[in-house]
Amino acid sequence: VSKRRRNRNGRTISSFLPPCITTTEGIRIVAPLAPEVEVELRYRDEVVVRWECSPLHLEDLARGWLLGEGRLARTERIGAVRLDPDASLILIDGPPLVRPAAIEPIPVQATAEIAAGFAAPDVLRPLYEEMFAHAELKHRTGGVHTGALVVAGEVRFVREDVSRHCVVDKLLGAGWHDGLPPHDCRLLLTSRVSGAIAAKVARAGVPIVTTMSVPTTLAGAVAGQAGVTMVGRARSSSPHIYRGEG
């Protein structure tokens, strides 16, 4: 598992957790808040997106957003990802961006047998337990979404954010940067899968995404068109499998 206690710009997780002092029935409580900042991505000196997100793994966030929004193909190579000192600005150079790609069937889809095997409770529950074991923000603050990228039955990356969309971007970006084949990747999420998240997963070519919640109707339509398999109620005794065949 990638267990970086420091963000890639060298700042510790603790540096993003200012304490909030509250009073309950006369008892003074010091508790950290879930970290959220405004971050801007400039690509080839042009502002392309602004986020309100947790300031951790921002390089992965930028890479994953470009991939999941269809602005760059997986085969493209971008330059170095640079952060300003206060982590509010990301600078990237690379090939020209394209218009957001349409949703098309992913190249390698999960068979019914593979989907059923991965969705088995004795497979998913241990993976979620391992993911949560490395979810430092969740343990420190609560109030964040958590996700993991799984390859060959092993949790490779864990990412957290106040935005569920940014969690997905960070996972996709981590996998892309590591050169992992998308058809070998699976995503574990705590949040529901929306249409926008299903589109990100489809554009990245990831065949299976699971959620502790349930997908939305729009997510079902997008996944069905793309051939992405979704698994809802992933930590329950009877996960729901939604298979699309693009």
Side-chain angles (χ1 to χ4, degrees), residues 106 108-110 182-186 201 205-209 227-230:
I106 62 176
V108 181
Q109 301 177 17
H183 58 268
D184 289 340
C185 299
R186 284 86 173 101
V201 173
V206 175
I208 300 178
V209 56
V228 171
T229 296
M230 300 183 296

Side-chain angles (χ1 to χ4, degrees), residues 124-218:
L124 282 180
R125 284 179 172 174
L127 289 173
Y128 269 93
E129 289 172 5
E130 183 175 356
M131 178 185 81
F132 284 128
H134 300 292
E136 185 169 351
L137 278 184
K138 177 182 183 298
H139 298 316
R140 293 287 301 276
T141 71
V144 295
H145 301 285
T146 307
L149 188 148
V150 175
V151 177
E154 296 184 356
V155 174
R156 294 289 294 271
F157 298 101
V158 173
R159 297 290 182 263
E160 301 174 276
D161 204 284
V162 293
S163 163
R164 64 184 187 274
H165 295 85
C166 290
V167 168
V168 175
D169 288 333
K170 289 177 178 181
L171 293 172
L172 297 179
W176 187 22
H177 185 55
D178 249 34
L180 299 174
H183 58 268
D184 289 340
C185 299
R186 284 86 173 101
L187 297 188
L188 309 182
L189 303 176
T190 55
S191 63
R192 70 180 180 274
V193 178
S194 64
I197 287 177
K200 289 175 182 289
V201 173
R203 290 192 181 106
V206 175
I208 300 178
V209 56
T210 76
T211 170
M212 289 170 51
S213 182
V214 295
T216 67
T217 53
L218 183 55

